Amino acid sequence: MPETPVIAIDGPTASGKGTIAQRVASTLGWHYLDSGSLYRIVALRALRTGTDLGDGGALAALADGLAPRFESGRILVDDEDLSDAIRTEEAGNAASRAAAQPLLRAALLGLQRRARRAPGLVADGRDMGTVVFPDAVLKVYLTASVESRAQRRHKQLIEKGFSAIISDLLRDLAERDARDMQRAEAPLEPAKGALVLDSTRLTIDETVAAVLEAYRRRVAA
Ligand code: CDP
């Protein structure tokens, strides 16, 4: 029996992966995996417990038995709603540091792969197409200029009621890009055969349409 199909959407921070992946998933009636939220949950646990973000073994222990529930757009862990707490820039920056640890990446692999359920999965992150789902039917590398990503992140944070300054965001984004792209383990890079999509001048609808069109072409081929 063929494996449940996966569409992998990877790319740098604030490139719009989450929005696009969720829209593609709901159009197709598929499941959605926000892999970054797992790194954010572990990072938040580390911040709360004073765990060293460079200690892979300790971070892997924090990921042990993690069973987040994704319900109506909220993320619950052990019945605590962490949806807002994991979206702060502090949690995002800590997640990017923790994510460089191979032991943590290995600890989160099974949880991510178990999200592959019929009829299909749209997964977003950094290594969905390169490491977690190398047999994905479609791999997309979604990018956008650093300025437009800083503006999008700014809008997103303000809408959630957080304060944010564009110049700080620009610096953080550039740092996070560098860290994600330069790490030894699962660095951020387009997977082999990935559709590279620059969304700087595309609307959300246009970007979603481009992904769906690429998927239909793949399936027809
Ligand atoms: O919102 P943003 O795109 O910045 O981040 P995210 O997707 O929520 O992920 C937070 C951090 O986790 C990223 O900066 C990555 O360093 C890391 N991450 C990763 O290494 N691998 C993934 N599959 C997903 C996220």
Side-chain angles (χ1 to χ4, degrees):
M1 208 172 73
E3 279 261 43
T4 301
V6 174
I7 295 179
I9 304 187
D10 292 305
T13 184
S15 57
K17 302 177 303 287
T19 308
I20 303 305
Q22 286 181 63
R23 294 271 292 264
V24 170
S26 82
T27 307
L28 294 171
W30 288 11
H31 299 281
Y32 164 60
L33 170 68
D34 169 8
S35 64
S37 70
L38 306 179
Y39 288 92
R40 285 173 179 265
I41 291 168
V42 173
L44 183 67
R45 284 187 165 176
L47 291 173
R48 286 180 172 179
T49 53
T51 304
D52 179 358
L53 293 168
D55 183 342
L59 293 169
L62 293 179
D64 196 31
L66 181 65
R69 285 186 290 133
F70 297 87
E71 286 173 9
S72 327
R74 310 298 294 177
I75 302 178
L76 303 170
V77 180
D78 300 333
D79 288 331
E80 184 188 355
D81 187 337
L82 295 183
S83 328
D84 297 326
I86 61 167
R87 291 294 151 209
T88 63
E89 282 303 279
E90 190 193 11
N93 285 324
S96 157
R97 302 245 296 276
Q101 294 301 318
L103 288 176
L104 173 59
R105 305 199 70 83
L108 289 175
L109 210 48
L111 185 57
Q112 296 174 85
R113 289 191 173 145
R114 283 196 296 280
R116 183 175 199 165
R117 283 179 288 123
L121 177 73
V122 183
D124 93 59
R126 303 294 189 285
D127 60 345
M128 298 298 97
T130 50
V131 176
V132 182
F133 303 110
D135 61 342
V137 56
L138 174 68
K139 300 176 184 182
V140 177
Y141 187 83
L142 186 64
T143 183
S145 72
V146 70
E147 292 78 15
S148 67
R149 290 190 283 126
Q151 304 224 330
R152 288 175 191 174
R153 177 54 49 86
H154 184 257
K155 185 163 167 268
Q156 200 180 41
L157 287 168
I158 298 294
E159 277 169 7
K160 286 192 190 297
F162 296 120
S163 63
I165 301 169
I166 297 255
S167 55
D168 289 353
L169 290 175
L170 260 175
R171 191 199 53 223
D172 283 357
L173 251 64
E175 266 178 27
R176 216 182 298 177
D177 282 356
R179 199 159 37 222
D180 288 352
M181 290 172 186
Q182 286 160 16
R183 68 184 175 215
E185 183 84 7
L188 171 64
E189 59 186 0
K192 205 157 162 271
L195 164 74
V196 178
L197 204 54
D198 184 334
S199 71
T200 307
R201 289 192 177 73
L202 297 180
T203 63
I204 292 174
D205 284 348
E206 287 167 340
T207 314
V208 170
V211 174
L212 288 170
E213 168 64 21
Y215 170 65
R216 290 189 180 120
R217 263 188 278 121
R218 271 305 139 92
V219 172

